[in-house]
């Protein structure tokens, strides 16, 4: 398996523009997570899905952020409009929930977002 | 809710010396515990996990960790480090049966020649 695949690796955009980050989880994994990493706040869980259904979006900072998982092999995180404070590395991770146990995540390589 | 405290933000150590990275957690329910490693410009990689059973857990790259329930700790150890172990290490916790994982602030391990 190629692992969790995120695109793009780097994104530079102007304030006010819409940004879409993409993620392909590992085949067979039924949990998908979006995290944001910054120096100031560390790793923050934004939202996670189970079997394509959002389970907990309490970490989504505000209405400018939205996430979807239309099928088991694809998820998007959208920011509209983007602001400089959204600059961060965004990670997608997936996990298999067999036996109702958290065996740990497989992370993608991340998308480094810079909003100028 | 669960929380994690990594007691050291940076740990410098000489090559071939032993190292311990400290982690304490807080939770009112039973937990799963994890250590992840992050190399520069990469995603996090799972080093080891404690779900149940033996409190001494062995992981990849020669690392091990010991779950101590009475002290609510899960310290990571390696008897002899290499230059290639230089990275950031994250301790993480989720409640038993839960999938929402909370990460600590990270400890930067710097191995010197």
């Amino acid at each position: 398996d190629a692992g969790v695949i995120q695109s793009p690796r780097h994104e530079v955009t102007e304030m006010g523009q819409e940004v879409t980050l993409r993620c392909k989880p590992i085949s067979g994994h039924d949990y998908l997570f979006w995290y944001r990493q910054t120096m100031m706040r560390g790793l923050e869980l934004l939202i996670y899905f189970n079997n394509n259904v959002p389970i907990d979006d309490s970490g989504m900072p505000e209405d400018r952020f939205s996430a979807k998982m239309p099928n088991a092999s694809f998820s998007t995180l959208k920011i509209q409009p983007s602001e400089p404070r959204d600059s961060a590395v965004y990670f997608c991770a997936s996990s298999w929930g067999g036996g109702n146990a958290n065996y740990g995540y497989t992370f993608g390589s991340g998308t480094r977002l810079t909003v100028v | 809710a669960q929380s994690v405290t990594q007691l050291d933000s940076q740990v410098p150590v000489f090559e071939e010396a032993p190292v311990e990275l400290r982690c304490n957690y807080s939770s009112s329910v039973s937990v799963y515990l994890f250590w992840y490693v992050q190399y520069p410009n990469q995603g996090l990689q799972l080093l080891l996990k404690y779900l149940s059973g033996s409190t001494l857990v062995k992981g990849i790259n020669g690392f091990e960790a010991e779950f101590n329930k009475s002290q609510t700790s899960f310290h990571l150890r390696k008897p002899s480090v290499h230059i290639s172990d230089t990275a950031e290490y994250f301790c993480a916790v989720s409640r038993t049966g839960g999938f929402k994982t909370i990460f600590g602030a990270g400890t930067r391990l710097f191995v010197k020649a």
Side-chain angles (χ1 to χ4, degrees), chain A residues 73-100:
Chain A
S73 59
F74 185 64
S75 177
T76 60
L77 178 67
K78 184 178 294 186
I79 308 172
Q80 165 65 17
S82 57
E83 297 183 2
R85 60 191 167 124
D86 301 330
S87 297
V89 181
Y90 291 81
F91 287 105
C92 175
S94 69
S95 180
W96 177 66
N100 200 35

Side-chain angles (χ1 to χ4, degrees), chain B residues 7-12 21 106-110:
Chain B
L7 298 162
D8 307 293
S9 60
Q10 296 186 68
V11 173
L21 306 183
T107 296
R108 186 169 299 277
L109 175 64
F110 178 58

Side-chain angles (χ1 to χ4, degrees), chain B residues 61-77:
Chain B
N61 301 341
F63 284 93
E64 63 181 32
E66 185 158 19
F67 170 55
N68 188 320
K69 188 175 181 179
S70 62
Q71 297 189 6
T72 60
S73 68
F74 191 56
H75 300 332
L76 181 70
R77 301 184 182 101

Side-chain angles (χ1 to χ4, degrees), chain A residues 6 27 30 59 67 84 104-105:
Chain A
Q6 291 187 246
S27 177
D30 51 353
Y105 301 167

